[in-house]
Amino acid sequence: GRHVMEVACRDLVAWRKRGIAVRMAVNLSVFELQDPDIVLRIARTLQHHRVDGSWLEIEVTESAAMSDPEANVATLEQLEMMPDLAVVCAPADLIPETLAALGEKQVKAALVLGSDLSQSRYGDRLALNLAIRAAVKPSGIRVMGPEGMGLLVPGEKINASYAHQNIKKGSVAYVGQSGILGTAMIDWANGQGIGFSNFLTLGGGIDIDLASAVDHLAADPYTHSLLIQVDNIGNAHQFVSAIRAAARNKLVLILKSNLSFWGKDSRTLLPPGVNHIDKVYDPVLKRCGAVRVESTDELFDALETLTTMKPLRGERLAVISNGMGANAMAVQRLRAKYGKLARPTDETTAALIEMSGCSGIESNPIDLNADATPERYAKAVELLSKDANVDAVLVLHAPTQMAPSAATAEAVVAAAKKTRRNVLTSWMGRDTAIAARNLCNAAKVPTYITPEKAVDAFMHMVQHRQNQTMLKETPTTVALQQDSHKLKQASTLVEHAMNNGRDYLRHEEVRTLLGLYDIECSDVHYTDSIDGVVAFADQQDERAVAVKALHKDNLYPFSYDHKVGQRWQDLALNLHSEAEIRHAVGQLSERIDQRFNANERRGYSVQPMKRGFQSLQICTGITRDPVFGPMVFFGAGGFDSDIRTDRQLMLPPLNTSLAKTLIKGSRVYQFLKDNSYRFDQDIEQLCRLLVELSEIAIDLPEIRTLEINPLLINKTGFLAIDACVGLGQPVGTAITPYPTHLEQTATLKSGRSVVLRPIRGEDEPNHLEMFNRLSPESIRLRYFYSRGVPNHDELANWTQIDYDREMAFIVSAPRLDGSPGNETLGVVRATTDADNIAAEFAVVMLDELQGEGLGSLLMQKMIDYCRDRGTLRLMGTTMTSNMGMQRLAKKLGFDNSYNHEEEAIEMILKLNEPTEEWQHTRLQH
């Protein structure tokens, strides 16, 4: 109440300044219960506030509610027309009934501003949230909040918030979960002259959550980039899907705080086998194509970057300064972030020496000397921005008598405006540097307080570029085992264990499971006695053996710490003679007899020691994050717990390019690069192994953890020496995997057998081949204009799709000329809006296959798919001259109509009837 009242009083003063007569009537009953003195204090202040030589008049009246606390102002009944948006400022106890009343009045949306939910009669936030959901369900009114700051859309002149300032119009959208951080961002942005297309904080997000907001902003044509602040993630599947969709076309930066709530064991917030939450969020956001910032300070700098920097043409940075100290700080930061320092050409270096007279200039970074003038700075920027080996220029400046900050800034700004490459600046100091920063801000030249901050900003753009490259890299085809019989065997194996009350697989069961997925394991013999161990060792041609005592504590993955588990403790290696075996195994037996009863012991596993293997040991497998579900991990292996520091994670499903990215993040990659004589084959086999592990995570959602450690490498490949599996309740992957169940075979009218299936990234080469075989007329009818050959980015967007939001079915068949591989004959594509109201389709096929029934086959497949997933409408647009498409649509039940504005034929097919009021509303629009 106090904050809202103070804001209202400031508005009154502003109105009076504009010559608007003000008479303030204060209904004391609104504030009487919370703070009865606040109104009188504000009234006395305003009575003595002189504006333009006049006194501000205030009239304080007492309402009937003062004498009758039960009386309420009937605001809803007084409204002649129901608004689209209602802003609710009410005590927590009144929120559900207020929202229910708004819904009955057919208000479309409500914004619930901050309210002290902890003091409500519902007892806790969860109970109140459930009450709000129940209140809005009958009417379908959409709710943002509670406890958010609100919503600002400057382009529409909307400010439905309690922000203390308005915002300028811009092209960056901000969406966060913290209202307080949002107000701080507004204050900072206004001070920097930075604007927004949208600005909102979601608070509790019980209805309109982060994913919904991101979906809306990603489709907003006035939003070019997104800045997202997130404390917690509710539905990981929706969050990942929304961020992936937004990051395809827009730069997305995310501030993720690592909150650990009191009373919670921090280990419960981490996946098993992982020692820090950053190891989860960094790869997840990278997999989504977003860039993570690590602090609010970095978030502010990121906003500066988003509003001023141009798209990067490369990743090589040139650094210039009037002293080596600043250069050294920038280069050190660049190397720490694994950035690339540009190498200017000899011609550019010679020109810089001639221009500056500094014979010490040899390479990047470039020291222009302490006597560098503004003109020298400008010329250096000009030379470097024309160099083919330089992608961006960082200008560092410390004020000197020869080069005042403001004068130098003017010269650098003028030079920066003449190039398409990015020029970043850092004006060190404060007193005279402020004017230089203001000049850069006004000219939209990115500027940062320190060299390190400037480098961080540059690396944000580099990381975004790298993420996009990684996501669009064309994967190579891996012929995985798609044997339904083996998959059924694996499922039965897991089901049998869980039905018997076990949350783990026995050692021999793990080997069976890995074998079903073509992961080779070392030979192992199981026995219950020392005599059995000796008998097996006698058959090994004098090779040494390793013996492991099996018990309940070493059947689970990630048991490294002897205080927690005993996985590595009860192991005897390099046993040769019978005497050695009996002595070592006898000691093992005594140790486990002291700690475990008969029901907890599992006997012994014996296997021959492997000779001729390289010293490299690898640890890989599957773990499960509490938020994002199954994740594949990879890193160095061995007995020591510090292997966790090298453990790299990635969300499945994986393809070969993603698997290679995962491997490159580990020190294993550099070891192989330095030591392997068959490096390419090793990496290829590792990629295949990781893709197989990804398939296990998808096929068997009951697997909570799977650890292969060590995985050894030799001349012929990889060998799993030891492995464990932990089980739990089934959890699906955060990213929808390839929908194998949608594959089907069909026969064309000519009798040719084809496969109709969803598209995948590996289809890119065949997709380009099909496009090149289309006639110019087919291209014009499909795309409404004559277009050139699609580039790699376009093809990647067409083939590497998010199956949650888009579907493309292709018809594939063996080549008629007998050459290896298949060819793509046609494709149908449909993109669905985030609420699954309508999907828009497009279809194209090879010209020579017209009349084969291919169009009907593709369209019927898409109709069935969209109907099954609950989509309400399937729509498409075609040219008036495309009579074949119009006839096909009519045959399949579409309603065709002429759109005069677009001068095209619209085709609409009703698939399902709406069941919610909001769905009816969406269809009307």
Side-chain angles (χ1 to χ4, degrees), residues 880-900:
T880 54
S881 59
N882 193 347
M883 301 305 298
M885 186 67 241
Q886 294 175 45
R887 286 192 295 268
L888 175 60
K890 198 73 176 175
K891 175 184 174 183
L892 294 171
F894 284 80
D895 292 327
N896 297 350
S897 61
Y898 180 69
N899 186 317
H900 292 273

PDB file of all heavy atoms in Angstrom, residues 880-900:
ATOM      1  N   THR A 880      -3.009 -19.009 -56.431  1.00  0.00           N
ATOM      2  CA  THR A 880      -4.251 -19.263 -57.170  1.00  0.00           C
ATOM      3  C   THR A 880      -4.012 -20.161 -58.379  1.00  0.00           C
ATOM      4  O   THR A 880      -4.918 -20.871 -58.814  1.00  0.00           O
ATOM      5  CB  THR A 880      -4.859 -17.927 -57.634  1.00  0.00           C
ATOM      6  OG1 THR A 880      -3.880 -17.197 -58.379  1.00  0.00           O
ATOM      7  CG2 THR A 880      -5.285 -17.086 -56.435  1.00  0.00           C
ATOM      8  N   SER A 881      -2.792 -20.144 -58.894  1.00  0.00           N
ATOM      9  CA  SER A 881      -2.480 -20.971 -60.063  1.00  0.00           C
ATOM     10  C   SER A 881      -2.158 -22.415 -59.714  1.00  0.00           C
ATOM     11  O   SER A 881      -2.046 -23.261 -60.608  1.00  0.00           O
ATOM     12  CB  SER A 881      -1.292 -20.357 -60.820  1.00  0.00           C
ATOM     13  OG  SER A 881      -0.151 -20.264 -59.973  1.00  0.00           O
ATOM     14  N   ASN A 882      -2.008 -22.718 -58.433  1.00  0.00           N
ATOM     15  CA  ASN A 882      -1.647 -24.076 -58.021  1.00  0.00           C
ATOM     16  C   ASN A 882      -2.917 -24.910 -57.862  1.00  0.00           C
ATOM     17  O   ASN A 882      -3.385 -25.203 -56.758  1.00  0.00           O
ATOM     18  CB  ASN A 882      -0.859 -24.034 -56.704  1.00  0.00           C
ATOM     19  CG  ASN A 882      -0.185 -25.373 -56.392  1.00  0.00           C
ATOM     20  OD1 ASN A 882      -0.485 -26.392 -57.019  1.00  0.00           O
ATOM     21  ND2 ASN A 882       0.704 -25.362 -55.428  1.00  0.00           N
ATOM     22  N   MET A 883      -3.499 -25.300 -58.983  1.00  0.00           N
ATOM     23  CA  MET A 883      -4.758 -26.025 -58.975  1.00  0.00           C
ATOM     24  C   MET A 883      -4.596 -27.434 -58.394  1.00  0.00           C
ATOM     25  O   MET A 883      -5.517 -27.969 -57.771  1.00  0.00           O
ATOM     26  CB  MET A 883      -5.326 -26.109 -60.394  1.00  0.00           C
ATOM     27  CG  MET A 883      -5.577 -24.740 -61.028  1.00  0.00           C
ATOM     28  SD  MET A 883      -6.647 -23.692 -60.003  1.00  0.00           S
ATOM     29  CE  MET A 883      -8.143 -24.661 -59.981  1.00  0.00           C
ATOM     30  N   GLY A 884      -3.436 -28.047 -58.593  1.00  0.00           N
ATOM     31  CA  GLY A 884      -3.212 -29.386 -58.066  1.00  0.00           C
ATOM     32  C   GLY A 884      -3.303 -29.418 -56.548  1.00  0.00           C
ATOM     33  O   GLY A 884      -3.929 -30.314 -55.970  1.00  0.00           O
ATOM     34  N   MET A 885      -2.696 -28.421 -55.872  1.00  0.00           N
ATOM     35  CA  MET A 885      -2.761 -28.361 -54.414  1.00  0.00           C
ATOM     36  C   MET A 885      -4.179 -28.080 -53.945  1.00  0.00           C
ATOM     37  O   MET A 885      -4.635 -28.642 -52.944  1.00  0.00           O
ATOM     38  CB  MET A 885      -1.802 -27.270 -53.909  1.00  0.00           C
ATOM     39  CG  MET A 885      -1.667 -27.206 -52.392  1.00  0.00           C
ATOM     40  SD  MET A 885      -0.863 -28.667 -51.674  1.00  0.00           S
ATOM     41  CE  MET A 885      -2.157 -29.300 -50.620  1.00  0.00           C
ATOM     42  N   GLN A 886      -4.881 -27.234 -54.665  1.00  0.00           N
ATOM     43  CA  GLN A 886      -6.259 -26.916 -54.283  1.00  0.00           C
ATOM     44  C   GLN A 886      -7.153 -28.147 -54.397  1.00  0.00           C
ATOM     45  O   GLN A 886      -7.992 -28.405 -53.516  1.00  0.00           O
ATOM     46  CB  GLN A 886      -6.794 -25.786 -55.158  1.00  0.00           C
ATOM     47  CG  GLN A 886      -6.072 -24.454 -54.945  1.00  0.00           C
ATOM     48  CD  GLN A 886      -6.542 -23.391 -55.909  1.00  0.00           C
ATOM     49  OE1 GLN A 886      -7.749 -23.222 -56.132  1.00  0.00           O
ATOM     50  NE2 GLN A 886      -5.599 -22.673 -56.514  1.00  0.00           N
ATOM     51  N   ARG A 887      -6.979 -28.925 -55.443  1.00  0.00           N
ATOM     52  CA  ARG A 887      -7.789 -30.137 -55.617  1.00  0.00           C
ATOM     53  C   ARG A 887      -7.466 -31.161 -54.529  1.00  0.00           C
ATOM     54  O   ARG A 887      -8.362 -31.806 -53.984  1.00  0.00           O
ATOM     55  CB  ARG A 887      -7.554 -30.742 -57.003  1.00  0.00           C
ATOM     56  CG  ARG A 887      -8.212 -29.964 -58.138  1.00  0.00           C
ATOM     57  CD  ARG A 887      -8.197 -30.775 -59.427  1.00  0.00           C
ATOM     58  NE  ARG A 887      -6.834 -30.999 -59.889  1.00  0.00           N
ATOM     59  CZ  ARG A 887      -6.185 -30.193 -60.751  1.00  0.00           C
ATOM     60  NH1 ARG A 887      -6.793 -29.109 -61.237  1.00  0.00           N
ATOM     61  NH2 ARG A 887      -4.956 -30.488 -61.120  1.00  0.00           N
ATOM     62  N   LEU A 888      -6.173 -31.298 -54.207  1.00  0.00           N
ATOM     63  CA  LEU A 888      -5.773 -32.237 -53.171  1.00  0.00           C
ATOM     64  C   LEU A 888      -6.367 -31.831 -51.823  1.00  0.00           C
ATOM     65  O   LEU A 888      -6.885 -32.678 -51.079  1.00  0.00           O
ATOM     66  CB  LEU A 888      -4.248 -32.306 -53.080  1.00  0.00           C
ATOM     67  CG  LEU A 888      -3.671 -33.172 -51.958  1.00  0.00           C
ATOM     68  CD1 LEU A 888      -4.119 -34.627 -52.097  1.00  0.00           C
ATOM     69  CD2 LEU A 888      -2.137 -33.091 -51.942  1.00  0.00           C
ATOM     70  N   ALA A 889      -6.300 -30.545 -51.495  1.00  0.00           N
ATOM     71  CA  ALA A 889      -6.847 -30.068 -50.224  1.00  0.00           C
ATOM     72  C   ALA A 889      -8.347 -30.324 -50.149  1.00  0.00           C
ATOM     73  O   ALA A 889      -8.867 -30.772 -49.123  1.00  0.00           O
ATOM     74  CB  ALA A 889      -6.536 -28.582 -50.041  1.00  0.00           C
ATOM     75  N   LYS A 890      -9.043 -30.054 -51.240  1.00  0.00           N
ATOM     76  CA  LYS A 890     -10.496 -30.271 -51.263  1.00  0.00           C
ATOM     77  C   LYS A 890     -10.816 -31.744 -51.068  1.00  0.00           C
ATOM     78  O   LYS A 890     -11.742 -32.117 -50.322  1.00  0.00           O
ATOM     79  CB  LYS A 890     -11.048 -29.770 -52.598  1.00  0.00           C
ATOM     80  CG  LYS A 890     -12.542 -29.520 -52.603  1.00  0.00           C
ATOM     81  CD  LYS A 890     -12.898 -28.285 -51.818  1.00  0.00           C
ATOM     82  CE  LYS A 890     -14.367 -27.967 -51.901  1.00  0.00           C
ATOM     83  NZ  LYS A 890     -14.741 -26.820 -51.042  1.00  0.00           N
ATOM     84  N   LYS A 891     -10.040 -32.593 -51.694  1.00  0.00           N
ATOM     85  CA  LYS A 891     -10.241 -34.030 -51.576  1.00  0.00           C
ATOM     86  C   LYS A 891     -10.056 -34.514 -50.138  1.00  0.00           C
ATOM     87  O   LYS A 891     -10.748 -35.430 -49.683  1.00  0.00           O
ATOM     88  CB  LYS A 891      -9.263 -34.748 -52.512  1.00  0.00           C
ATOM     89  CG  LYS A 891      -9.273 -36.264 -52.401  1.00  0.00           C
ATOM     90  CD  LYS A 891      -8.200 -36.868 -53.293  1.00  0.00           C
ATOM     91  CE  LYS A 891      -8.094 -38.380 -53.089  1.00  0.00           C
ATOM     92  NZ  LYS A 891      -7.001 -38.964 -53.912  1.00  0.00           N
ATOM     93  N   LEU A 892      -9.113 -33.865 -49.409  1.00  0.00           N
ATOM     94  CA  LEU A 892      -8.813 -34.269 -48.039  1.00  0.00           C
ATOM     95  C   LEU A 892      -9.706 -33.601 -47.003  1.00  0.00           C
ATOM     96  O   LEU A 892      -9.544 -33.823 -45.806  1.00  0.00           O
ATOM     97  CB  LEU A 892      -7.343 -33.968 -47.713  1.00  0.00           C
ATOM     98  CG  LEU A 892      -6.315 -34.777 -48.514  1.00  0.00           C
ATOM     99  CD1 LEU A 892      -4.913 -34.250 -48.274  1.00  0.00           C
ATOM    100  CD2 LEU A 892      -6.395 -36.263 -48.158  1.00  0.00           C
ATOM    101  N   GLY A 893     -10.667 -32.766 -47.454  1.00  0.00           N
ATOM    102  CA  GLY A 893     -11.632 -32.182 -46.536  1.00  0.00           C
ATOM    103  C   GLY A 893     -11.361 -30.750 -46.125  1.00  0.00           C
ATOM    104  O   GLY A 893     -12.045 -30.213 -45.241  1.00  0.00           O
ATOM    105  N   PHE A 894     -10.376 -30.095 -46.737  1.00  0.00           N
ATOM    106  CA  PHE A 894     -10.085 -28.692 -46.414  1.00  0.00           C
ATOM    107  C   PHE A 894     -11.158 -27.778 -46.986  1.00  0.00           C
ATOM    108  O   PHE A 894     -11.766 -28.081 -48.035  1.00  0.00           O
ATOM    109  CB  PHE A 894      -8.723 -28.271 -46.984  1.00  0.00           C
ATOM    110  CG  PHE A 894      -7.536 -28.791 -46.218  1.00  0.00           C
ATOM    111  CD1 PHE A 894      -7.082 -30.088 -46.402  1.00  0.00           C
ATOM    112  CD2 PHE A 894      -6.864 -27.975 -45.319  1.00  0.00           C
ATOM    113  CE1 PHE A 894      -5.985 -30.564 -45.712  1.00  0.00           C
ATOM    114  CE2 PHE A 894      -5.770 -28.441 -44.626  1.00  0.00           C
ATOM    115  CZ  PHE A 894      -5.324 -29.747 -44.820  1.00  0.00           C
ATOM    116  N   ASP A 895     -11.387 -26.657 -46.314  1.00  0.00           N
ATOM    117  CA  ASP A 895     -12.212 -25.573 -46.853  1.00  0.00           C
ATOM    118  C   ASP A 895     -11.297 -24.571 -47.525  1.00  0.00           C
ATOM    119  O   ASP A 895     -10.437 -23.961 -46.872  1.00  0.00           O
ATOM    120  CB  ASP A 895     -13.010 -24.888 -45.734  1.00  0.00           C
ATOM    121  CG  ASP A 895     -14.078 -25.800 -45.143  1.00  0.00           C
ATOM    122  OD1 ASP A 895     -14.627 -26.615 -45.903  1.00  0.00           O
ATOM    123  OD2 ASP A 895     -14.347 -25.694 -43.932  1.00  0.00           O
ATOM    124  N   ASN A 896     -11.466 -24.389 -48.822  1.00  0.00           N
ATOM    125  CA  ASN A 896     -10.633 -23.448 -49.575  1.00  0.00           C
ATOM    126  C   ASN A 896     -11.363 -22.122 -49.745  1.00  0.00           C
ATOM    127  O   ASN A 896     -12.565 -22.102 -50.055  1.00  0.00           O
ATOM    128  CB  ASN A 896     -10.281 -24.014 -50.949  1.00  0.00           C
ATOM    129  CG  ASN A 896      -9.456 -25.296 -50.861  1.00  0.00           C
ATOM    130  OD1 ASN A 896      -8.996 -25.656 -49.775  1.00  0.00           O
ATOM    131  ND2 ASN A 896      -9.271 -25.969 -51.988  1.00  0.00           N
ATOM    132  N   SER A 897     -10.657 -21.025 -49.559  1.00  0.00           N
ATOM    133  CA  SER A 897     -11.255 -19.695 -49.745  1.00  0.00           C
ATOM    134  C   SER A 897     -10.201 -18.732 -50.264  1.00  0.00           C
ATOM    135  O   SER A 897      -8.998 -18.915 -50.010  1.00  0.00           O
ATOM    136  CB  SER A 897     -11.841 -19.167 -48.430  1.00  0.00           C
ATOM    137  OG  SER A 897     -10.831 -19.039 -47.443  1.00  0.00           O
ATOM    138  N   TYR A 898     -10.666 -17.712 -50.968  1.00  0.00           N
ATOM    139  CA  TYR A 898      -9.759 -16.733 -51.572  1.00  0.00           C
ATOM    140  C   TYR A 898      -9.511 -15.588 -50.593  1.00  0.00           C
ATOM    141  O   TYR A 898     -10.448 -14.986 -50.064  1.00  0.00           O
ATOM    142  CB  TYR A 898     -10.336 -16.183 -52.874  1.00  0.00           C
ATOM    143  CG  TYR A 898      -9.447 -15.157 -53.549  1.00  0.00           C
ATOM    144  CD1 TYR A 898      -8.240 -15.536 -54.118  1.00  0.00           C
ATOM    145  CD2 TYR A 898      -9.836 -13.819 -53.611  1.00  0.00           C
ATOM    146  CE1 TYR A 898      -7.429 -14.606 -54.744  1.00  0.00           C
ATOM    147  CE2 TYR A 898      -9.035 -12.882 -54.237  1.00  0.00           C
ATOM    148  CZ  TYR A 898      -7.824 -13.277 -54.798  1.00  0.00           C
ATOM    149  OH  TYR A 898      -7.017 -12.353 -55.404  1.00  0.00           O
ATOM    150  N   ASN A 899      -8.247 -15.286 -50.345  1.00  0.00           N
ATOM    151  CA  ASN A 899      -7.851 -14.167 -49.487  1.00  0.00           C
ATOM    152  C   ASN A 899      -7.519 -12.985 -50.381  1.00  0.00           C
ATOM    153  O   ASN A 899      -6.499 -12.991 -51.073  1.00  0.00           O
ATOM    154  CB  ASN A 899      -6.640 -14.559 -48.623  1.00  0.00           C
ATOM    155  CG  ASN A 899      -6.265 -13.495 -47.610  1.00  0.00           C
ATOM    156  OD1 ASN A 899      -6.240 -12.314 -47.919  1.00  0.00           O
ATOM    157  ND2 ASN A 899      -5.952 -13.934 -46.398  1.00  0.00           N
ATOM    158  N   HIS A 900      -8.399 -11.969 -50.367  1.00  0.00           N
ATOM    159  CA  HIS A 900      -8.221 -10.825 -51.268  1.00  0.00           C
ATOM    160  C   HIS A 900      -6.970 -10.030 -50.914  1.00  0.00           C
ATOM    161  O   HIS A 900      -6.286  -9.500 -51.809  1.00  0.00           O
ATOM    162  CB  HIS A 900      -9.456  -9.914 -51.212  1.00  0.00           C
ATOM    163  CG  HIS A 900     -10.682 -10.555 -51.788  1.00  0.00           C
ATOM    164  ND1 HIS A 900     -10.988 -10.492 -53.145  1.00  0.00           N
ATOM    165  CD2 HIS A 900     -11.663 -11.297 -51.210  1.00  0.00           C
ATOM    166  CE1 HIS A 900     -12.113 -11.150 -53.364  1.00  0.00           C
ATOM    167  NE2 HIS A 900     -12.550 -11.649 -52.204  1.00  0.00           N
TER     168      HIS A 900
END
